[in-house]
Amino acid sequence: MRVMAIGAHPDDIEILAAGTLACYRLDGHAVAICVMTNGELGAESGDRAAVAELRRQEAQRSAEIIGATLYWLGEPDGFLFDTTPTRMALLAAVRDFAPDILLTHDPADYHPDHRTASLIALNVRQLASAELIETAEPVLNSAPPVLYMDPLALTGTAAETWVDISATIETKREMLRCHQSQNAWMRRMHELDYVDYVDKQAALRGLQCGVAFAEGFRDARVFPVTANTTALLPN
Ligand SMILES: [Zn+2]
């Protein structure tokens, strides 16, 4: 299978689905991480372009840990909108990778960019197989199913399915540690340790399904209906 995870910021996928992506890789599947914005607001001061470049490098190092393809769309952090150019940029990335399944943010997530990324991913998923939308990349044969990742802090919605990531939690931590700029910033802003925070979230999901660590997902329920979408997840 080919699995594509679409997140708003350079560390979202690591926080919410890196353990699952690492499981897919262990099973021999191809994985892509698509980051929609530059994440250039993720610092207290300094030049935004420099922050964006640092974050792109951190995301690249993280993706390399599991051999994932990184797509970097470069939209402005905090101001992600479903415009024609943005939709076309994601459409090109989705067609280029040709995923069998898409993972993205929950539409009820707390962050505006997360909610917008979720919306654009859902919209593009439908349009990627429309033959009259011309791109350099080939049209998809069918629209891939979509699974929503947990919202951050697990607020708002309940997972419908759980992936046991006990075997890949250390890989997830390693990927998170690549985002050094964010761990330092989170410590100052929220007095929280990045890895500890994510461990707690994964441990709670694990508690719910009887394993040490897990990540939660729910089906976006799109047309055409895909039977048992959650069976496309690892385990
Ligand atoms: Zn984010």
Side-chain angles (χ1 to χ4, degrees):
M1 279 204 303
R2 301 180 65 76
V3 182
M4 187 174 207
I6 299 170
H9 305 116
D11 52 358
D12 291 331
I13 298 302
E14 284 81 346
I15 293 170
L16 300 172
T20 299
L21 295 183
C23 287
Y24 274 121
R25 291 295 293 133
L26 285 178
D27 291 342
H29 303 297
V31 166
I33 295 173
C34 180
V35 178
M36 296 205 63
T37 77
N38 282 317
E40 74 273 26
L41 298 184
E44 290 156 296
S45 58
D47 176 58
R48 285 195 197 185
V51 175
E53 177 53 23
L54 172 63
R55 298 205 65 185
R56 193 191 61 75
Q57 290 173 12
E58 290 174 343
Q60 184 64 52
R61 279 197 292 277
S62 169
E64 284 170 5
I65 288 175
I66 56 168
T69 305
L70 179 69
Y71 290 90
W72 186 269
L73 299 195
E75 295 291 323
D77 191 353
F79 295 87
L80 181 63
F81 298 108
D82 185 12
T83 62
T84 300
T86 305
R87 206 186 274 194
M88 288 302 291
L90 184 62
L91 186 108
V94 167
R95 282 183 173 176
D96 184 66
F97 189 72
D100 298 300
I101 185 165
L102 288 175
L103 311 180
T104 192
H105 292 287
D106 192 288
D109 195 289
Y110 82 103
H111 196 291
D113 287 346
H114 296 184
R115 293 195 298 273
T116 307
S118 178
L119 174 70
I120 303 174
L122 198 67
N123 292 344
V124 160
R125 165 261 173 207
Q126 184 65 41
L127 300 174
S129 58
E131 292 181 350
L132 292 184
I133 302 176
E134 292 180 15
T135 59
E137 301 76 17
V139 176
L140 295 193
N141 292 331
S142 60
V146 177
L147 284 169
Y148 292 135
M149 306 179 293
D150 272 329
L152 217 64
L154 312 183
T155 52
T157 59
E160 292 174 346
T161 188
W162 292 257
V163 174
D164 180 0
I165 61 160
S166 307
T168 57
I169 185 74
E170 193 47 51
T171 304
K172 181 180 170 90
R173 291 172 184 143
E174 200 184 332
M175 290 171 73
L176 273 165
R177 286 189 202 106
C178 291
H179 297 273
Q180 284 171 348
S181 67
Q182 297 310 288
N183 200 11
W185 188 54
M186 287 289 184
R187 277 180 193 278
R188 289 193 299 272
M189 269 231 329
H190 301 296
E191 294 180 351
L192 63 82
D193 179 88
Y194 221 31
V195 174
D196 177 57
Y197 178 86
V198 167
D199 268 14
K200 284 177 178 152
Q201 183 156 309
L204 175 59
R205 282 296 184 229
L207 196 67
Q208 294 170 337
C209 64
V211 301
F213 296 101
E215 287 167 344
F217 299 89
R218 67 187 183 96
D219 192 333
R221 294 193 173 84
V222 287
F223 177 86
V225 175
T226 305
N228 201 7
T229 300
T230 55
L232 299 173
L233 286 165
N235 308 309

